Amino acid sequence: MRTLDLLAMEPGVVNGETESSTVGLKIKTEEMQCQVCYDLGAAYFQQGSTNPAVYENAREKLFRTKELIAEIGSLSLHCTIDEKRLAGYCQACGVLVPSSDSASQQLTPYSQVHTCLRSGNYQEVTKIFAEDNLTFSLPVQFRQSVLRELFQKAQQGNEALDEICFKVCACNTVRDILEGRAIGVQFNQLFLRPNKEKIDFLLEVCSRSINLEKASDSLKGNMAAFLKNVCLGLEDLQYVFMISSHELFITLLKDEERKLLVDQMRKRSPRVNLCIKPVTSFYDIPASASVNIGQLEHQLILSVDPWRIRQILIELHGMTSERQFWTVSNKWEIPSVYSGVILGIKDNLTRDLVYILMAKGLHCSTVKDFTHAKQLFAACLELVTEFSPKLRQVMLNEMLLLDVHTHEAGTGQSGERPPSDLISRVRGYLEMRLPDIPLRQVIAEECVAFMLNWRENEYLTLQVPAFLLQSNPYVKLGQLLAATCKELPGPKESRRTAKDLWEVIVQICSVSSQHKRGNDGRISLIKQRESTLGIMYRSELLSFIKKLREPLVLTIILSLFVKLHNVREDIVNDITAEHISIWPSSIPNLQSVDFEAVAITVKELVRYSLSINPNNHSWLIIQADIYFATNQYSAALHYYLQAGAVCSDFFNKAVPPDVYTDQVIKRMIKCCSLLNCHTQVAILCQFLREIDYKTAFKSLQEQNSHDAMDSYYDYIWDVTILEYLTYLHHKRGETDKRQIAIKAIGQTELNASNPEEVLQLAAQRRKKKFLQAMAKLYF
C-alpha cells in the first residue's frame, strides 16, 4: 500500500525519498499478484459475514494466493503474508464454499462435519469424531461446538437426536480422557441411565480410539483408568460384566488390577431399599469362579490364536473338570465323518482342543481367512501327530484342501499355475488307499476340479488308477471330461469318450418311478424321484460343475446339457451351442429323463459360466436362446446384441458370421417383430445372407410401430427397401417421411454404379451404426 501511496505523490516529493525509496524497484508480477490476491481475499472474507455470496470471491482469491506462494516460495521479500492465517482462511472457505471440482473432493474433517450437519447425516459425524480420536486433528473446542449445536436441536423437540448427542458426547469424552482431561458433566448426565446399546457403543469407540500396538503407556493408562471408573460407577452387574469381559479391558488391565477392581466392588456399600429385602451382591455369591469361567469362555469364542486357545482351555480345565468346552459355541461345527473319531479321544483337554482348533480352522477357511486357518490346522496337526495316525492323515487332507483354496483365491486368479508340489499332493490324495481313514467327499471333488481347471488332462485320462474310477464318482466324471477335451479336435468317429460321458449324464438326469398297488389290485404311479442308478445325484453334479473355471470344460458340459434339452419331442425352439454335434441325437427312453430338471440345470450352468467370463460370445448366445425360447424377447435381444458386441469391439469391427448366423438374425427379427419394432425388423432383414424382402415389406406396412421409424432410415443400405418405403409413404400421403426416404436413397455411396467395395463399406458402416443404436436401446 505504501508503494501505491508514493506513486500518488508529487514527483518532487518522491525524489526526496532516499534509503526507503521504491522508485525503480523491480518486482515480479507473481509477487505483486500474490500480495493483491491475499489482501483482496481477506477483505472479501470480512464482507462475507453480511453477504455470504462474497465468500465465493474470497475463496477464489485466497486459493490463488496459495498457488502463487507455491510457485514463488515463501521467502519473497516483497510479500507480507501470514501463511498460518492464510491456511485458516482457506480451510474456512473450503467449509463455507465447498468446491464441486472432482480434484478437490478430498474434504478436510471440518468440511466433512459441516457437510454432514447440513445434510442431517449425524451418524457420519460420530464416525468422523471416532476416527479423529486416533489423529487428534480436530480441536476440542470445535468438537464441543458441534455437540452444543446438536443439544440445541434436541432441546427444540427433535427427540431422534438424543441418541446422537450421547454418541458425540461419548466420542468427545474418550478424546478428553486420552489427552488427560477430566470427564465432563454432560457425559455423566447422559450416562445416568446406561443400557446395553450405550455400553456397546462406548466400548466400540474406546476400541477404535486407541492403536494398542503404537499407543504410548500414558494413553493406555488413561484408557484403562477410564474403563475402571465406568465399571465402578455402574450398579447393574450385567453391564459391569460386559465391560470387564471385553477384549480391550482384558488387554489393558493386568490380572492383579482386575482382581483389585472386583475387591473394590465387593467392599462398595450397596444402596439398600428399605421397602424390600436386601438383595445379596453378585460378588458375595460363593460360586464367583463362574465369572472367570464366563470371561474365559467368551475369550475362547473370539480367539483365533491356537496357543491362546490352548492356554484358555488349560485354565478352564483347571477350574472345573465337569464341562465339555467344545460345546461352548453352537457355531463350532466339524464334519460328521470326523466327529466320531475326535469325540472318542479319552483325554478331555485334548478332545476339546482338537475339536475347537479344527472347527475354527474350517470356519476361517470358509470365510477365506486362510492365514489363521493355516495356523489353526498346523497346531492341530502337531497335536494329533503325537497320538493318532488316523487324525494326522485327516489334518493333512484338510491342509491340502486349504492350500488348494488358497491358491485358487490368490495367484490362481491371475492365471499363475500352481506349484508342482501342490499338484503332486493332489495326485497323492486321489491315489490314497489307507484303510479306516475318514474322508470328506468334498476334498475329492475339489481335487478333481483343481486338476481339470489346470488342464492336467493327461493324468486324468492315462495315469489315474483303475480302483479310483470304480470308487470315486468325481474321478470318473473328471476322466470323461478330460478325455472329451483331448478328443475334441479329432474326427467324430474317435469320440467314444463323448458318448460315454453322454450316457453318464443322461443316467444322472433320469428319474425312477415308484408304483403302488391299490385296494382294487390296480398299480398306480405315485411318485417320480431322482434315479439312484447314476454315479451321483444331479445336485451333486451341479455343485461340482460350479467349481470349474476352465472354458473348454464348461463349454463341453454346457453343450451336452443343451443337446439333452433339445432332444425332447415337445420342444419348439432349439438352443444353439458350440460342439453340439458331438453328442447323440436321440435317447432310447425319453420318458426316463427329467427334462424339467435339465432345463433348470441349463439355466444354472449358463448363469454360472457367464459369472466366470461374461464376454464369452457362445455362452451369451445360449443365454439369449433360453430367453427366446421362454418368450422373453427384450432380454433375448439384450444378450444377442451383447454377444455381437464382445467379439466386434462394440461393433466397430464386423461381427463374425459364425456368431451372427442366419438363425440368430432370424430370432432377432422375430424378437423385434413381437416387440412391435417393425422398422428394426426391416433393417435386420438386410443382415441375412439373402435379404428377406417379403418380411421386410410386410413389417414396413405395419402402422403401429413402437420404434423410431423414419429416424432409422439412415441405417438402410438396400435401395429396393428404400424405394418401397418411398412408394409406401407416397401412397399414404406422408410427405415428410417420403422426403426422408428419398434423401436416404440419394446418398452417393448407395449408387448402384459404385464398385462392390464401396457398396460393402456403406453397408458395413450402416450395420455398425444400427447395432450400436440397438445396443444403447437394450443394454
Side-chain angles (χ1 to χ4, degrees):
M1 294 301 290
R2 174 170 168 71
T3 309
L4 298 177
D5 290 340
L6 289 170
L7 290 173
M9 290 182 183
E10 293 294 327
V13 178
V14 174
N15 290 337
E17 292 281 333
T18 54
E19 292 180 9
S20 60
S21 175
T22 55
V23 175
L25 183 66
K26 291 185 178 180
I27 302 174
K28 290 181 181 177
T29 309
E30 291 83 358
E31 292 185 73
M32 185 164 184
Q33 191 182 359
C34 182
Q35 184 67 55
V36 171
C37 283
Y38 177 70
D39 292 336
L40 282 174
Y44 284 137
F45 191 84
Q46 301 304 328
Q47 294 171 16
S49 56
T50 55
N51 181 9
V54 181
Y55 281 130
E56 281 278 2
N57 296 334
R59 184 186 180 285
E60 182 187 341
K61 300 299 178 195
L62 291 165
F63 276 51
R64 179 62 183 149
T65 306
K66 201 172 180 182
E67 290 173 7
L68 289 165
I69 284 180
E71 289 177 22
I72 63 179
S74 56
L75 299 175
S76 170
L77 298 171
H78 310 296
C79 293
T80 53
I81 292 172
D82 184 342
E83 291 193 37
K84 287 185 179 179
R85 193 174 183 83
L86 173 64
Y89 276 137
C90 289
Q91 199 165 51
C93 287
V95 172
L96 296 166
V97 191
S99 169
S100 59
D101 180 14
S102 60
S104 60
Q105 285 303 308
Q106 299 295 328
L107 298 176
T108 63
Y110 292 98
S111 311
Q112 291 174 343
V113 172
H114 189 73
T115 305
C116 293
L117 290 174
R118 282 191 302 183
S119 63
N121 186 4
Y122 301 118
Q123 293 289 354
E124 188 65 24
V125 174
T126 63
K127 183 180 174 185
I128 294 167
F129 277 19
E131 290 172 357
D132 182 66
N133 284 351
L134 280 170
T135 58
F136 295 178
S137 59
L138 290 172
V140 175
Q141 295 81 358
F142 173 73
R143 295 169 63 123
Q144 291 296 340
S145 70
V146 171
L147 181 57
R148 280 196 297 274
E149 185 179 334
L150 291 171
F151 264 126
Q152 286 175 354
K153 289 183 179 179
Q155 288 166 359
Q156 289 166 3
N158 191 344
E159 293 180 3
L161 285 180
D162 290 343
E163 182 189 351
I164 298 297
C165 287
F166 168 75
K167 289 184 174 182
V168 173
C169 185
C171 293
N172 287 354
T173 301
V174 172
R175 168 73 177 273
D176 287 338
I177 64 105
L178 287 172
E179 294 188 310
R181 287 188 293 275
I183 298 173
V185 177
Q186 287 175 326
F187 177 76
N188 289 322
Q189 288 175 333
L190 291 170
F191 210 58
L192 274 175
R193 293 180 181 175
N195 55 34
K196 183 179 182 300
E197 289 73 24
K198 285 184 178 182
I199 301 278
D200 278 337
F201 181 78
L202 184 62
L203 290 170
E204 182 190 348
V205 171
C206 289
S207 299
R208 289 168 60 184
S209 299
I210 187 166
N211 186 336
L212 293 171
E213 293 178 3
K214 299 179 181 178
S216 63
D217 290 340
S218 63
L219 279 180
K220 291 179 182 176
N222 290 343
M223 182 66 82
F226 172 66
L227 292 173
K228 279 201 297 187
N229 287 331
V230 171
C231 282
L232 290 167
L234 291 169
E235 293 181 14
D236 192 327
L237 295 168
Q238 177 191 352
Y239 300 146
V240 174
F241 177 69
M242 280 178 66
I243 297 174
S244 62
S245 63
H246 193 269
E247 191 175 355
L248 180 66
F249 187 91
I250 294 165
T251 306
L252 289 175
L253 275 81
K254 297 176 183 175
D255 291 341
E256 298 78 18
E257 292 179 288
R258 294 206 297 275
K259 287 175 184 174
L260 186 63
L261 177 65
V262 171
D263 291 339
Q264 282 179 279
M265 297 197 72
R266 279 179 178 165
K267 293 173 185 175
R268 189 174 62 181
S269 56
R271 296 179 183 179
V272 179
N273 187 337
L274 298 176
C275 301
I276 59 171
K277 183 181 177 181
V279 179
T280 310
S281 169
F282 178 80
Y283 288 95
D284 292 334
I285 297 172
S288 59
S290 63
V291 177
N292 289 332
I293 290 175
Q295 290 176 354
L296 287 170
E297 286 179 345
H298 183 68
Q299 292 177 48
L300 187 64
I301 291 170
L302 296 177
S303 181
V304 287
D305 177 6
W307 304 114
R308 178 63 183 146
I309 291 168
R310 178 175 174 274
Q311 183 185 355
I312 293 168
L313 281 171
I314 290 170
E315 289 184 46
L316 286 168
H317 277 276
M319 292 178 180
T320 174
S321 58
E322 298 172 2
R323 293 284 304 276
Q324 294 181 332
F325 292 103
W326 62 271
T327 62
V328 165
S329 172
N330 59 3
K331 302 289 184 186
W332 293 339
E333 295 179 359
I334 62 171
S336 55
V337 291
Y338 298 158
S339 57
V341 182
I342 293 174
L343 296 180
I345 298 172
K346 292 179 181 177
D347 180 63
N348 292 343
L349 173 60
T350 307
R351 179 200 59 213
D352 287 345
L353 186 53
V354 172
Y355 189 101
I356 293 170
L357 288 175
M358 177 177 275
K360 283 179 174 282
L362 289 169
H363 172 73
C364 288
S365 179
T366 304
V367 298
K368 299 191 186 310
D369 182 0
F370 299 124
T371 305
H372 281 122
K374 195 157 193 172
Q375 291 172 0
L376 290 157
F377 281 165
C380 194
L381 175 64
E382 186 179 339
L383 177 64
V384 299
T385 300
E386 299 174 3
F387 66 89
S388 173
K390 189 181 290 187
L391 282 175
R392 178 181 180 276
Q393 189 58 52
V394 164
M395 290 315 304
L396 288 172
N397 295 344
E398 289 296 333
M399 290 183 80
L400 170 63
L401 180 60
L402 177 64
D403 288 343
V404 167
H405 284 161
T406 305
H407 179 267
E408 298 292 82
T411 53
Q413 294 274 18
S414 57
E416 184 178 327
R417 278 190 66 79
S420 56
D421 69 308
L422 181 56
I423 294 174
S424 299
R425 285 166 62 203
V426 169
R427 290 182 180 186
Y429 174 82
L430 291 174
E431 296 170 12
M432 184 174 61
R433 297 185 71 176
L434 295 174
D436 302 328
I437 299 295
L439 299 174
R440 280 211 294 160
Q441 193 72 6
V442 69
I443 304 181
E445 187 182 348
E446 292 278 0
C447 285
V448 174
F450 177 81
M451 300 296 272
L452 285 169
N453 284 334
W454 295 106
R455 296 175 288 283
E456 290 290 321
N457 296 337
E458 203 69 30
Y459 171 77
L460 286 169
T461 51
L462 300 176
Q463 299 174 31
V464 172
F467 76 89
L468 262 181
L469 297 174
Q470 304 301 322
S471 61
N472 194 319
Y474 293 103
V475 175
K476 174 73 175 173
L477 185 62
Q479 188 200 48
L480 291 171
L481 284 167
T484 307
C485 289
K486 282 179 65 182
E487 292 174 358
L488 199 59
K492 190 175 180 181
E493 299 76 33
S494 67
R495 296 176 189 155
R496 283 185 55 82
T497 316
K499 187 171 182 296
D500 294 341
L501 178 60
W502 168 267
E503 289 172 356
V504 164
I505 298 298
V506 168
Q507 193 71 59
I508 291 172
C509 294
S510 295
V511 289
S512 59
S513 302
Q514 281 187 333
H515 296 82
K516 184 179 180 182
R517 189 178 296 276
N519 295 330
D520 56 358
R522 291 183 181 180
I523 296 175
S524 58
L525 176 67
I526 62 164
K527 192 177 181 183
Q528 282 193 325
R529 63 180 184 183
E530 281 192 76
S531 172
T532 53
L533 300 175
I535 61 172
M536 63 181 72
Y537 288 114
R538 187 179 59 86
S539 56
E540 293 173 327
L541 172 66
L542 195 57
S543 171
F544 172 70
I545 294 170
K546 287 185 176 181
K547 292 179 170 63
L548 301 173
R549 289 191 333 273
E550 173 58 26
L552 181 57
V553 178
L554 286 173
T555 300
I556 285 172
I557 294 169
L558 257 177
S559 68
L560 189 154
F561 271 97
V562 165
K563 184 70 172 187
L564 189 55
H565 174 273
N566 290 346
V567 296
R568 50 182 186 173
E569 296 164 343
D570 60 338
I571 192 164
V572 179
N573 295 305
D574 281 359
I575 300 172
T576 54
E578 277 188 296
H579 313 306
I580 202 166
S581 61
I582 69 173
W583 312 112
S585 300
S586 61
I587 299 174
N589 187 6
L590 272 175
Q591 289 73 27
S592 68
V593 178
D594 186 352
F595 284 108
E596 187 180 341
V598 171
I600 293 169
T601 306
V602 170
K603 292 175 185 176
E604 280 283 315
L605 292 180
V606 175
R607 192 179 302 120
Y608 169 71
S609 301
L610 287 174
S611 72
I612 297 295
N613 181 7
N615 293 329
N616 186 304
H617 64 82
S618 66
W619 300 346
L620 289 165
I621 292 286
I622 295 173
Q623 180 68 84
D625 282 348
I626 291 170
Y627 281 125
F628 181 80
T630 53
N631 305 326
Q632 299 176 71
Y633 301 113
S634 181
L637 273 174
H638 170 93
Y639 282 98
Y640 284 132
L641 289 164
Q642 195 172 336
V646 297
C647 57
S648 64
D649 189 18
F650 197 67
F651 305 112
N652 284 304
K653 300 172 187 170
V655 179
D658 61 329
V659 177
Y660 275 3
T661 60
D662 271 7
Q663 180 179 330
V664 169
I665 298 297
K666 284 176 181 176
R667 290 188 172 186
M668 291 173 73
I669 287 170
K670 187 173 180 182
C671 289
C672 290
S673 177
L674 291 165
L675 291 169
N676 284 335
C677 297
H678 300 297
T679 318
Q680 294 173 7
V681 170
I683 296 169
L684 283 168
C685 285
Q686 303 171 108
F687 284 63
L688 295 166
R689 285 179 175 79
E690 290 186 13
I691 299 174
D692 185 355
Y693 288 112
K694 183 180 177 181
T695 305
F697 293 165
K698 186 179 177 182
S699 67
L700 291 172
Q701 289 169 13
E702 297 282 348
Q703 290 186 290
N704 184 24
S705 187
H706 293 171
D707 57 24
M709 295 183 69
D710 50 322
S711 66
Y712 279 113
Y713 292 176
D714 282 341
Y715 302 133
I716 301 174
W717 64 87
D718 184 80
V719 176
T720 306
I721 294 176
L722 286 169
E723 286 174 345
Y724 181 78
L725 270 172
T726 309
Y727 157 75
L728 202 60
H729 290 314
H730 174 71
K731 184 179 174 183
R732 293 175 181 167
E734 297 168 345
T735 311
D736 293 345
K737 292 182 179 180
R738 179 172 175 270
Q739 285 302 118
I740 295 169
I742 290 171
K743 185 182 175 183
I745 295 175
Q747 294 179 73
T748 53
E749 58 188 355
L750 297 183
N751 192 319
S753 304
N754 286 337
E756 187 63 28
E757 291 178 7
V758 174
L759 293 172
Q760 285 183 0
L761 280 172
Q764 191 57 46
R765 190 164 69 87
R766 283 163 175 73
K767 280 184 182 180
K768 165 191 163 182
K769 295 286 186 188
F770 172 69
L771 290 170
Q772 286 176 342
M774 287 278 282
K776 289 175 185 174
L777 190 62
Y778 288 99
F779 280 6

